[in-house]
Amino acid sequence: MFVWSKLSSLKWMDVWEEMFAGEQRAVMTRLPGKKTIRLEVYCEKKSEAQKIFKEFGGSVRELKAQNWAAMGSELPEPVKIGKALLLVGTDKAAELVEIKQSNPGREVISIPPELAFGTGHHATTATALRMLVDFAKSRAGTEWSMIDLGTGSGVLAIAAEKLGAGSAWGCDFDAMALRAAAKNLKRNKTKKVVLEEMDVFKWKPGKKVDCVMANIFHDILEKVFPKIAKAVRKDGMVVVSGILKSQAAGCLAAGEEAGLVFEEVVTKGKWVTARGRLK
Ligand SMILES: C[S@@+](CC[C@H](N)C(=O)[O-])C[C@H]1O[C@@H](n2cnc3c(N)ncnc32)[C@H](O)[C@@H]1O
């Protein structure tokens, strides 16, 4: 594994976000207390990392196994989603007990930063989680099910179980993300979540579910909308995220053509998240 990295001023964050939109291997971290961001792209091959270096400068290094532990020493700030969820970067049992005790009423989810998207810090994840929290409230005391397309760290499926889902199924085509997600399921003791390594284009919807979530980029969504519409129950909820603002109109129109209607569309920075249902 090789990592390309570069430090940049915070003011260029939007530009980098645009540049790396759709780049699943990119990680952008704001350095604590500084007006600086660190950009990283994780690559299987040195040649891939060097290609990015040629274009943008920075540096390339090999990531040895022992570097992973060091990476974990800079934990991201916790993320609160309403009064229902608190996402934290630690997986240390004693710290988690303390966090739970000082946050009564909140479900605490442990997602240490690893090679999978979905710590809750990105606008696309945070908004999708907020919509999930509202949905869970409306289904309190009932048995509900969810599907998470492009699960990454597993964060949405884990949150679904914590919020009361009776079952959750998710998929991702990135084996590395799924390995991180499997660890997250154990860390969070979410035994009702089942994750599979699968390309969403190969996914065949089976039994209908109450909630389908997909934080997965507009071009994929546009093609997968008919399957999403097939998978969701008549009174269920669909949440799509990961849509660039500039692509939102076309993307959501494709969803409507597939039989969905969007009732809430939230824009945060360059990103759009939409909540919908069957027409
Ligand atoms: C933006 S991340 C979302 C992660 C997490 N669900 C969240 O909300 O934070 C998108 C995820 O979709 C996965 N993905 C992209 N295209 C896919 C495809 N065709 N099939 C399955 N997974 C895909 C990526 O590997 C990545 O983990």
Side-chain angles (χ1 to χ4, degrees):
M1 174 73 59
F2 293 84
V3 61
W4 167 82
S5 67
K6 183 181 172 77
L7 292 177
S8 171
S9 163
L10 185 62
K11 69 178 179 196
W12 298 114
M13 184 147 168
D14 272 8
V15 178
W16 287 110
E17 261 189 358
E18 186 77 49
M19 211 110 72
F20 287 125
E23 173 51 81
Q24 316 280 327
R25 305 164 302 173
V27 178
M28 215 176 287
T29 315
R30 182 165 174 185
L31 300 184
K34 294 188 186 152
K35 289 199 166 149
T36 310
I37 48 169
R38 186 176 53 222
L39 305 149
E40 291 166 311
V41 179
Y42 293 85
C43 308
E44 290 286 351
K45 292 186 193 142
K46 194 173 184 181
S47 57
E48 293 168 337
Q50 275 170 336
K51 209 170 142 197
I52 306 172
F53 169 75
K54 263 194 183 163
E55 201 171 342
F56 300 116
S59 63
V60 171
R61 70 181 195 280
E62 189 172 4
L63 205 58
K64 302 238 169 69
Q66 63 264 32
N67 291 134
W68 293 111
M71 278 177 69
S73 60
E74 261 180 45
L75 288 181
E77 288 292 304
V79 178
K80 285 180 180 168
I81 308 290
K83 289 188 176 144
L85 295 176
L86 179 66
L87 284 84
V88 296
T90 182
D91 61 351
K92 296 202 171 71
E95 285 179 24
L96 285 170
V97 168
E98 214 178 297
I99 293 169
K100 280 177 193 164
Q101 278 168 355
S102 44
N103 287 279
R106 271 206 172 91
E107 291 292 342
V108 175
I109 297 180
S110 160
I111 311 265
E114 287 179 308
L115 273 188
F117 188 106
T119 55
H121 289 80
H122 200 270
T124 58
T125 315
T127 311
L129 282 170
R130 203 267 297 148
M131 289 173 175
L132 182 63
V133 164
D134 292 347
F135 179 76
K137 259 189 224 157
S138 75
R139 293 296 174 103
T142 70
E143 181 82 0
W144 57 277
S145 48
M146 79 87 79
I147 283 177
D148 175 13
L149 303 172
T151 193
S153 66
V155 60
L156 300 179
I158 290 170
E161 178 173 334
K162 294 273 183 194
L163 292 167
S167 66
W169 177 88
C171 73
D172 203 296
F173 65 0
D174 178 351
M176 204 138 40
L178 274 179
R179 281 200 287 278
K183 285 200 251 165
N184 290 332
L185 297 190
K186 274 199 187 145
R187 285 175 179 127
N188 291 288
K189 301 184 177 66
T190 39
K191 295 194 175 143
K192 295 173 183 167
V193 178
V194 175
L195 301 180
E196 272 182 55
E197 186 177 332
M198 186 190 288
D199 191 312
V200 76
F201 293 123
K202 301 223 166 97
W203 165 59
K204 289 194 184 102
K207 208 171 150 204
K208 286 184 186 284
V209 297
D210 300 289
C211 167
V212 180
M213 304 188 82
N215 180 3
I216 206 172
F217 302 116
H218 70 96
D219 50 338
I220 300 173
L221 285 171
E222 283 165 24
K223 294 185 187 116
V224 174
F225 271 131
K227 291 207 254 186
I228 293 178
K230 216 170 158 187
V232 69
R233 291 210 170 106
K234 196 140 187 54
D235 59 348
M237 171 180 80
V238 169
V239 172
V240 288
S241 197
I243 308 164
L244 273 177
K245 195 159 75 175
S246 52
Q247 311 289 345
C251 178
L252 298 185
E256 303 230 341
E257 239 170 73
L260 299 169
V261 56
F262 295 99
E263 293 169 319
E264 186 184 4
V265 178
V266 177
T267 305
K268 277 195 185 159
K270 293 208 158 3
W271 299 100
V272 168
T273 303
R275 176 177 59 79
R277 58 171 174 80
L278 284 178
K279 262 182 209 160

